[in-house]
Amino acid sequence: MAGPHNLALLLKANPFFAGLGDEAIRAIAVLCVHRRLDPGETLFLKGDPGDALYAVRRGQIRIETSSSSGRRLTLNLLGPGDVFGEVALLDGRPRTADAVAAEPTELYTVLRRDFFGLLEQRPSVSIRIIELLCERIRWMSAQMEERALLPLEARLAHRLVALSEDYGHELHVSQEELAIFVGATRESVNRQLQSWRRLGWIELSRNCIRVLHPSCLYHPADNDPSALTHPPV
């Protein structure tokens, strides 16, 4: 029962599933099956049916897509403890990107058919899921508003700090991929990164960013170069 117990812990830490309560989480975790992927092995492709929920036990999954020029672009990096596929588990619609193992990876999987069998047995769980989906819609609306109003400096800083907290201070990500993350051009992202490099907050090399001072990045407005003589109180 170690697998279901471990999956229950991951689901409990996930903002979506945590709201279901312990009993429902344990019932979902019992449905889990294990899956192992070799480096470079595909979990699913864009257009595949959304037929499962996944939780990363160990390893790393890259969520990827292709640009109009055919280049592979990373949309997200998922590591141990990350849960993904919640929406596809519910609506079964085609995947919107590829998921590929970046290294040897172990996953917990809950199949959609098994999950819906549970919902038929427990209508109260279905009602709570509807409530949680409404909460997520409200959250997404707020995120879209924030993305439209926050300057690039703040969006990029938040993304770099979040990635460094998840994957360590040495990030193997390209500037083009970062531009997609924050909804900006590669050139504008490069200008901001070069500014932080000159301040000594980050180091740059080919497709790698080393975050040296995340506390400076996290509050970029407080660390404006023109105001460095006035330390924050």
Side-chain angles (χ1 to χ4, degrees):
M1 295 296 289
H5 173 71
N6 291 336
L7 177 57
L9 293 176
L10 298 184
L11 294 177
K12 193 171 182 178
N14 179 273
F16 180 80
F17 286 98
L20 291 177
D22 290 346
E23 183 181 354
I25 287 175
R26 286 194 296 269
I28 295 170
V30 169
L31 305 175
C32 83
V33 294
H34 289 85
R35 182 165 180 180
R36 290 180 171 84
L37 299 175
D38 294 324
E41 186 175 351
T42 298
L43 177 61
F44 56 75
L45 294 172
K46 181 178 180 179
D48 285 351
D51 60 356
L53 166 82
Y54 301 101
V56 183
R57 182 186 181 196
R58 61 168 56 98
Q60 188 177 79
I61 293 289
R62 297 177 73 92
I63 305 299
E64 302 177 340
T65 190
S66 296
S67 69
S68 57
S69 62
R71 290 189 59 188
R72 300 297 297 169
L73 304 176
T74 298
L75 302 178
N76 206 354
L77 298 167
L78 303 169
D82 284 331
V83 177
F84 61 105
E86 310 98 301
V87 175
L89 184 72
L90 295 171
D91 68 14
R93 298 187 65 180
R95 304 287 185 181
T96 56
D98 303 341
V100 180
E103 57 189 65
T105 299
E106 294 184 25
L107 301 165
Y108 298 118
T109 302
V110 174
L111 298 177
R112 187 169 186 265
R113 64 170 183 267
D114 296 334
F115 182 71
F116 269 72
L118 173 66
L119 295 186
E120 291 176 358
Q121 299 171 16
R122 298 176 179 235
S124 61
V125 176
S126 300
I127 294 172
R128 183 59 186 138
I129 285 176
I130 291 172
E131 294 171 347
L132 292 173
L133 287 174
C134 291
E135 292 175 12
R136 171 164 288 198
I137 290 172
R138 293 178 184 274
W139 177 85
M140 290 178 65
S141 178
Q143 290 294 108
M144 291 177 64
E145 181 178 354
E146 178 181 283
R147 180 166 175 169
L149 297 177
L150 282 180
L152 168 63
E153 181 182 10
R155 301 200 309 271
L156 184 57
H158 291 171
R159 175 59 67 172
L160 284 177
V161 171
L163 288 173
S164 68
E165 288 175 347
D166 284 342
Y167 305 108
H169 294 303
E170 186 169 305
L171 304 174
H172 296 276
V173 60
S174 72
Q175 294 183 21
E176 186 172 3
E177 291 168 341
L178 275 178
I180 293 173
F181 278 138
V182 300
T185 65
R186 190 197 65 80
E187 291 76 15
S188 59
V189 166
N190 177 261
R191 284 194 296 270
Q192 185 60 62
L193 292 176
Q194 293 296 342
S195 174
W196 288 335
R197 179 189 61 79
R198 289 191 292 270
L199 289 169
W201 297 349
I202 64 173
E203 290 180 352
L204 299 175
S205 57
R206 184 175 178 83
N207 288 343
C208 181
I209 300 170
R210 182 183 291 274
V211 179
L212 302 178
H213 299 288
S215 60
C216 293
L217 291 174
Y218 198 77
H219 301 289
D222 295 335
N223 294 298
D224 184 85
S226 64
L228 289 180
T229 56
H230 304 282
V233 295

